[in-house]
Amino acid sequence: NCVISGGTSSGKTSLLNFLCQYFLPNERILTVEDTVELSPPVKNLVQLQARKPNADGQGAISLRSLIQCSLRMRPDRIIVGECRGDEVLEMLQALNTGHPGSLTTIHANSTQEALQRLELLCLLSSNNVSVEAIRTWIRSSIDVVVQVERDENGHRHVSEIIQKREGAYDVVYKR
């Protein structure tokens, strides 16, 4: 399971779309997004999109509820366009329940900050869960974190990759 992190316009979604071309054509892929930006080239694709409430404040569909529903849709992989709120809890649950090779993005300035941001979002979204329990959950869910950056010339590149090994994250690539 992979988290792609970076700043605004650093290429997170572009990298996510690129990685989708390596999915097997017979896999059932579910995407969960605020705005549809992902287009995995697979035949069995289900795209779920969040919805804001109408003028009367009714009809909202959150990313969190879509991720909950996606678990009942027999996915091989779940791709969450961006985690930035309470949907992170459901995403981590999905990654822990038999959906290997799932992907998401998050705004962060480094791979370590991405892990810390996941932790913070979990803490903000839950009651009565200890920091240590959340850290354990993240370590059991996330295998790889890829940091992307945009340099002063506007070029986007992978700047760092960390991978979980024996319960801790090691740098496997640093630009």
Side-chain angles (χ1 to χ4, degrees), residues 25-91:
N26 62 338
E27 288 183 306
R28 181 171 171 84
I29 308 298
L30 270 80
T31 63
V32 180
E33 302 176 87
D34 274 330
T35 303
V36 176
E37 297 178 294
L38 300 171
S39 53
V42 294
K43 293 178 183 175
N44 199 350
L45 174 64
V46 177
Q47 293 180 298
L48 304 175
Q49 184 178 7
R51 184 172 62 197
K52 299 206 181 294
N54 64 18
D56 297 327
Q58 302 296 313
I61 302 174
S62 69
L63 289 174
R64 187 174 190 171
S65 65
L66 289 175
I67 295 170
Q68 289 171 341
C69 291
S70 75
L71 295 174
R72 297 180 193 99
M73 296 179 169
R74 201 179 42 78
D76 291 313
R77 297 178 195 252
I78 299 171
I79 304 171
V80 179
E82 182 180 344
C83 278
R84 62 176 161 234
D86 63 356
E87 69 275 358
V88 72
L89 290 171
E90 303 307 324
M91 189 225 31

Side-chain angles (χ1 to χ4, degrees), residues 106-117:
I106 192 166
H107 281 264
N109 294 319
S110 70
T111 55
Q112 288 303 314
E113 284 185 26
L115 294 171
Q116 292 167 353
R117 184 160 162 79

